[in-house]
Every structure is written in C-alpha cells, then in structure tokens.
Amino acid sequence: MTNHFFKNHGSFSIKKLLEFSDIDTQKNFSDIKITDIKDLVTAEKNNITFFHSKKYEAVAAKTKAAFCITTNNLSHVLPKSCEAITVDNVLIATAKITKIFYPDAVTDNFDDSVKDINETTFKDNVKFGKNILIGLNVQIGKSCSIGHNSIIECNVIIGDNCSIGSNVIIRNTIIKNNVSILDGCVIGKKGFGFFPNNKKNIRYPHIGIVIIEDNCEIGCGSTIDRGSLSNTIIGKNTFLDNQVHIAHNNVIGDNCIIAGQVGFAGSSTLGNNVMIGGQVGISGHLKIGNNVQIAGGSGVIKDIPNNSKVMGYPAINLRNFIKDNK
C-alpha cells in the first residue's frame, strides 16, 4: 500500500523500534533499518509486518518483510527471509509500532486548516452551495459540485464530474470520476479500531485511506471508514443505498448493489456483481465471491463462494433456507 497522506517518521533500527514500543522479546536483533510498517501482502524488504491469524497463513508464507510481529504458534509459517518477533498480543504490539511511524494518524480531530471555499481557487471552477469549507492538500477536478454545509477536510482528491451532497464530511480519500456522494455521508474518518482495557482503551492508528472508483454512488447517511494498514476500496460502478456502513480495510468489488442499512465489519472482501438486500450484516475477515446474492436481513459469518444465493442467520443456501422454513 502506498501511503498518500500520512507522514512516515521512520526509518528506525529494529532495536530502537522495539525499545520505543516497549516490546521485550528477550532476543538480540541486528541494527537493520526498518523503513515502514505494512500488511503481509504489500510489505517489502526493510519493512515490518504482522501476522495474527491462521486465516492469513498463505500470504504470510510469501511475505517479503524483513520482520514480522507474530506469536510462537504462527512463527513457523514465515519464510526464512522474514525474522519473527514473537509477542503475547500481536495487535497491541502492531498498534504501538504503527504509532511510532505514523503518530499523526491516531486521532481525528476536526481539521483546523479549512478555509471558506470563497477564499480558495476552487471558487472559480466548482459549483457550490453555502458554508463550504476546504482543507489543505485537496484537489478537485472539472465539473464538480458541492452542496450546502459540506466540509472537504485535508487529504482529499476528487476527480471530474463528481457531485458531493450537503452536510458531507470527507478526508483521507481518493474519489475517481463520475462519483455521487449523497447528503450526510462521512468518508475517510478512522475506523472502530482499539483494544479494550480496564483502565484505558488503546487506539491504533489508521494509516490507510478510502478509494472510491469511477461511476459509484454513495447513499445518504452512509459511512466509509479509512483503512488501518490497508485501504478501504469501493469498486467501479458500485452503488450503496442509504445508511450503509463500510468499516476499515473492506474491499468492495465492481458493479455491486448494496441496499440500505447493510453493515460490514472490518477486512472483508466482496467480489464483483454482488447484490445485497437491506439490513444484512457481514462479519469481519470474510471472502464473498463474485455474482453472489444475499437476501435482506441475513447474517453472514462464513465465506461465500462464487455464484451463490444465500439467506438467513447464519446465511445458508437460499433453496435450503426456503425448504427449512416452509
């Protein structure tokens, strides 16, 4: 993943990185420089990554990272070129190290860099309503419009022929061409990522972004969270109905139709040409195949193969559901 918007404060030697994050592995590591933290797939030489679940064994075995935060039980999966840093809690250790590289990504305070659009160069080429605020590092293409009381906060790229509705907040997002964001959406804020603690919950930085591909429509009141280490992606020609929630790291395919009040937990992948009825819940870390249809009100807690039709909780084959509920 290329980090478009958050400043990387590295590099750090692996010794200093572990020292700064209070990770005691009781092992002497070399002074090799670590330039970034990335997920298992995008990690490169001189990067550090993390591996916390057997669901990711296949990609962990091929990671190119120099170091990987993991557990004793999973460390054998890693390639010889990747040295394991074994800890008791992988996600907490990952959060601490990510915060060292990207300290600015932990909080999402309001953007105090914003200016009234009339004080910017956008006033000359954007059709806009009243009370529009624009932050730093914003690009807006040709033939775009922005409704009343919307805020385009820092770190946003908007393509051509895009329509942004009223009362919308966008940050840390790339929007391609011919996209409509309807009223009341919040896009690019941090996800619901933290570790419960009796004294103080520990937040981990979200250094990913949101990418919305060409010809999409995002319905009123929808929320799309930016990724933690990966990006949250909405594929081409995908339409979201009102009040849909897409949590961090989800990848939604092309030509999908998602009806109202559907909720995605984090890190699931949706194929192309998927249709989802209203009020469906999708659990985290799942893979939904191509051409899948999910009936309204269903709860998806397992992977769904290509060309399936499912319904119910837990969601099962549609024919079986109808047979069992005659």
Side-chain angles (χ1 to χ4, degrees):
M1 181 195 78
T2 300
N3 197 297
H4 291 269
F5 300 134
F6 295 104
K7 181 181 178 181
N8 183 343
H9 289 250
S11 59
F12 303 95
S13 73
I14 188 63
K15 284 184 177 181
K16 288 295 183 183
L17 200 58
L18 298 177
E19 179 184 331
F20 293 158
S21 52
D22 297 320
I23 297 174
D24 182 11
T25 64
Q26 297 183 347
K27 184 177 179 180
N28 291 322
F29 289 100
S30 64
D31 284 329
I32 186 172
K33 290 287 185 179
I34 303 300
T35 58
D36 205 352
I37 182 166
K38 294 185 178 181
D39 61 48
L40 287 163
V41 176
T42 61
E44 301 170 347
K45 184 180 179 181
N46 297 328
N47 290 166
I48 189 169
T49 188
F50 73 102
F51 172 37
H52 70 297
S53 170
K54 289 184 177 180
K55 295 189 73 170
Y56 299 100
E57 282 187 348
V59 289
K62 298 178 182 179
T63 188
K64 297 179 181 178
F67 294 93
C68 181
I69 307 162
T70 188
T71 63
N72 278 318
N73 292 337
L74 296 174
S75 60
H76 69 280
V77 176
L78 298 171
K80 293 180 179 180
S81 58
C82 182
E83 193 165 0
I85 298 173
T86 56
V87 296
D88 293 330
N89 191 311
V90 173
L91 296 181
I92 288 180
T94 302
K96 290 179 177 179
I97 288 178
T98 306
K99 187 175 180 180
I100 293 169
F101 279 105
Y102 298 97
D104 301 328
V106 179
T107 59
D108 260 6
N109 297 329
F110 69 90
D111 182 4
D112 58 6
S113 78
V114 296
K115 294 182 179 179
D116 189 286
I117 194 170
N118 290 294
E119 300 175 22
T120 73
T121 58
F122 299 118
K123 70 181 188 298
D124 299 323
N125 57 10
V126 174
K127 181 180 179 181
F128 57 92
K130 297 180 179 179
N131 305 317
I132 308 303
L133 301 177
I134 307 291
L136 295 175
N137 196 26
V138 170
Q139 301 175 33
I140 302 177
K142 300 176 182 177
S143 303
C144 291
S145 63
I146 304 175
H148 306 299
N149 304 310
S150 287
I151 307 174
I152 312 301
E153 295 191 325
C154 59
N155 304 328
V156 174
I157 299 173
I158 299 174
D160 298 334
N161 305 308
C162 291
S163 173
I164 310 300
S166 298
N167 301 302
V168 171
I169 299 175
I170 306 174
R171 76 187 309 172
N172 305 310
T173 295
I174 296 176
I175 298 171
K176 302 294 182 67
N177 300 320
N178 307 307
V179 172
S180 293
I181 309 293
L182 304 189
D183 298 349
C185 291
V186 178
I187 299 173
K189 293 285 189 175
K190 66 184 179 184
F192 195 59
F194 66 92
F195 307 104
N197 187 291
N198 291 331
K199 295 182 180 179
K200 183 180 180 181
N201 293 332
I202 301 172
R203 271 280 185 186
Y204 65 82
H206 282 67
I207 63 173
I209 64 174
V210 173
I211 300 174
I212 301 176
E213 299 286 356
D214 296 338
N215 306 314
C216 290
E217 180 172 296
I218 310 301
C220 294
S222 294
T223 302
I224 305 176
D225 299 334
R226 70 176 185 263
S228 52
L229 283 180
S230 305
N231 294 326
T232 302
I233 301 174
I234 310 298
K236 294 179 180 179
N237 197 43
T238 285
F239 275 41
L240 274 57
D241 194 5
N242 300 335
Q243 297 179 332
V244 171
H245 177 222
I246 309 292
H248 58 218
N249 303 340
N250 282 293
V251 177
I252 309 298
D254 299 341
N255 305 307
C256 295
I257 300 173
I258 301 174
Q261 296 184 335
V262 169
F264 286 79
S267 302
S268 285
T269 300
L270 201 69
N272 300 325
N273 309 308
V274 175
M275 301 178 68
I276 302 179
Q279 295 186 327
V280 167
I282 310 286
S283 294
H285 303 274
L286 298 181
K287 184 176 181 180
I288 312 300
N290 299 317
N291 309 308
V292 167
Q293 295 182 20
I294 304 174
S298 298
V300 180
I301 59 174
K302 294 182 179 180
D303 293 351
I304 301 178
N306 295 337
N307 307 309
S308 299
K309 296 181 180 180
V310 300
M311 185 174 185
Y313 182 85
I316 59 174
N317 178 274
L318 181 60
R319 289 183 179 179
N320 293 339
F321 179 89
I322 293 173
K323 180 181 179 180
D324 294 343
N325 289 275
K326 281 186 177 180

